[in-house]
Structures are given as C-alpha cells and as structure tokens.
Amino acid sequence: MTPGQRSRLLSSAPSLLLRSLVLLSLCPRGQAVQAENVTVLEGGTAQISCRLQNYDGSIVVIQNPRRQTLFFNGTRALKDDRFQMVLFSQQLVRITLTNVSVSDEGGYFCQLYTDDTHHQVATLSVVVPPEMPTVEVKTEAVEGGEVELTCLSPRSKPPATLRWVRDRREIPGVISQQENGKTVSVSNTIRIPVERKDNGAALSCEASHPALVAQKRVRHYSLDVHFAPTVKIIPPQGILREGDSLSLTCSVTGNPLPRDIQWSRVNDTLPERAEKTANILQVSRLSQSHNGTYLCQAHNNYGRAADHYTLLVYDPGAVVETHSAVPYAVIGGILALLVFTVICVLIVTIWCSVRQKGSYLTHEASGLDEHGEVQEAFLNGNDASQGKKEYLL
C-alpha cells in the first residue's frame, strides 16, 4: 500500500442505531466479513460489529458514512471520542458510538484488505421519539364564537401521530407535516364552537410513536372562554328597622373576572356611613333617609351588567301597627263567614216553610170535596138500607 492510499484511508467518520441483524456478503478466497445493521434511539449508544471468518491477519478498516476512517486495525484514526474500539479479535471487531444523533445515520463500512479490497456495510438508523407536544391558541375563545387550537410535535422520526381528545372522544382535526432535515414536524389543528359553559373544559393532545411502544405523551389544556359579566345582589333577610345595619353582597361572574365593582344609589349619592369593601356594601345605623334603589355594576372587555336593590327602612311604630292589623283582618273574615252561613240557613228555612204550607192547602181542598158528596147523598134521599155513613168534617 502506497503512502497516498494510506493517507486516503485515514480520512473518514461514522453513525449508528438499535438492532436489526442483516448478514452481508463474503470476501472471496476464503476470508469473509459480515456487518450487522443497527437501529438506536437518538441520544443512545450504538454498537457496530464486523464479524470475520477465516481471518488471516489482513488489515481491517472501519469507515463512517462519509468514508472517513474511524479505526485502522484497531487504532483510532479519527479524533472523535464518541467512538470507541471495544473488541478486536480474529472473529469479531466491534466499536461503539455514544450520544447518537440523526447526523450519524448511514452506512458504516467494514473493509478487509487482502490482495483485493472487500467491504460490507452496517446501516445505522436513528429513531427520534417526539417530545411533549405543545398547544398553540390561534384564535381567542369568546362566548358564541369558535376557538382554533393547534397541537404541535416539532421533531420526530418517523413522524409522530397526534390526536385531540375531549371526554374520551377524539376531535377530528387538520393534520400537516413539514420535513426538517431528517426529522419531521407534525401539527393537528381543530376549530370548535364555545359557550360560557365550556370555560375550563379539559382537552388533551396525545402523541404516539413506535419508539414509545404503548405509551403516549399527553399535553393537557383547559379551555379559557371569555364572556361578559353577570351581576346579582344578595339582599338581607327580614325587615330592616331604623338603627339596623345593611349589608349587600354583589355576586359577580365573568371571564376575565371584573376587578372594578361600582356601588351607587339611583338619583342620589351613597350615604355618608356607607363602606365599600370589594363586592360588599355596608351601611350602619339605618334611617328612612337611606331609603332608595342601590345599584351594583361591573364590566370587562366583553360587556357590562348591573343589578339593583330597593331599600325600605321602617320605623318601629309602623311595624307594630302592621303586625296588629293582621288579627283584625282574620276576625273580620270569620264574621263575614258567619253572616253568610246565617243567611243561607234563613233562606233554606223559608223555602221549606213555603213548601209545607202548600201541601196543607191541597189536603184541605180534598176534604171539602168529600163533604159535598155527603150533602148530595142526604138530598137525594138515599135508601137507609145502604147503611149509615159517618163523615168527619
């Protein structure tokens, strides 16, 4: 071998991956070399092996895919500490490559120099599993509109599979891929209508890949639906008298939640003793001068809302009068019912009396008819043999 040939042999570099055994052909004239294909995860360690048969001490050279010589008969030729010669024997030559990257992919040459040069190639393949996917919000979620969400896996090899899931059901989306050198970027975009009730709903983007086996990398996302506020005043219980204290709570919802809650009184100012603390309005020592309609108002970027409460303060005398009027109303109702009952009884009595008198007159008329028949019998001189009849008049 000339110095020029040796110089060319000393210029080359490698790449590797996990395992997939493929035996490659033999050298003629008895000696043989076999190379094993390898597949490995990115960042892992690959072992590149060259098996020798009938080895007679000839020169063995290992080159990387760029045909740079890594090892010459067991001696390092390329200064790359990631490559290590771990075994050199008459049956097997093995090197390792640590921290593998996709740039290390390709065919690694196992060359056996005899009178003729023979080589076999060990193909190194690198698998890149996807990282945790990310979620991008393309359009803001507003009540009554649509939200556009994109799940992105920026780098994988082979391409990762992405899907959106809500309540264990897949949401169909638009999938796109873009090659970035030897890796692929994958995205899945969905558009869904949203309402106020959807705020906080849980969605998830799942990335699956052969390198992850049965596992998945899942990114969870909660819908953030913006909507206008609602306002409701929670009033106090019972009647408010002079001297009592008033406490009104303004219950506010909205997204974003309104920070500025405003209290006011219609056509008047708030009482001097009114104290506002966040959503609570308090007025001590009430009097009738505090009567009126109180408003609570709130707003955000999506709308405003208000609620009102009418305050009516009673003096103790009016309250007692009101309570004392209640028994008189009950007594009046009872008396009215009694009068109505008496009238009904009188009507029934009179009706029964009229019917009885009519029946008596009828029987009296019937008796007169019988008396007439008796008189006629005497006048006609009826025979005494017919017997004596007595008539009771």
Side-chain angles (χ1 to χ4, degrees), residues 326-342:
V326 174
Y328 291 112
V330 174
I331 294 172
I334 295 173
L335 290 175
L337 181 60
L338 289 174
V339 171
F340 175 75
T341 304
V342 170

Side-chain angles (χ1 to χ4, degrees), residues 323-389:
H323 285 298
S324 62
V326 174
Y328 291 112
V330 174
I331 294 172
I334 295 173
L335 290 175
L337 181 60
L338 289 174
V339 171
F340 175 75
T341 304
V342 170
I343 293 173
C344 290
V345 170
L346 288 174
I347 292 173
V348 172
T349 303
I350 294 171
W351 181 76
C352 292
S353 176
V354 170
R355 285 198 60 186
Q356 186 175 3
K357 184 176 181 181
S359 176
Y360 172 78
L361 293 173
T362 302
H363 286 295
E364 187 177 89
S366 176
L368 290 174
D369 288 342
E370 292 176 357
H371 181 65
E373 290 178 1
V374 171
Q375 288 181 343
E376 185 179 352
F378 280 108
L379 291 175
N380 290 334
N382 285 346
D383 192 88
S385 63
Q386 292 180 356
K388 185 179 181 179
K389 295 182 181 179

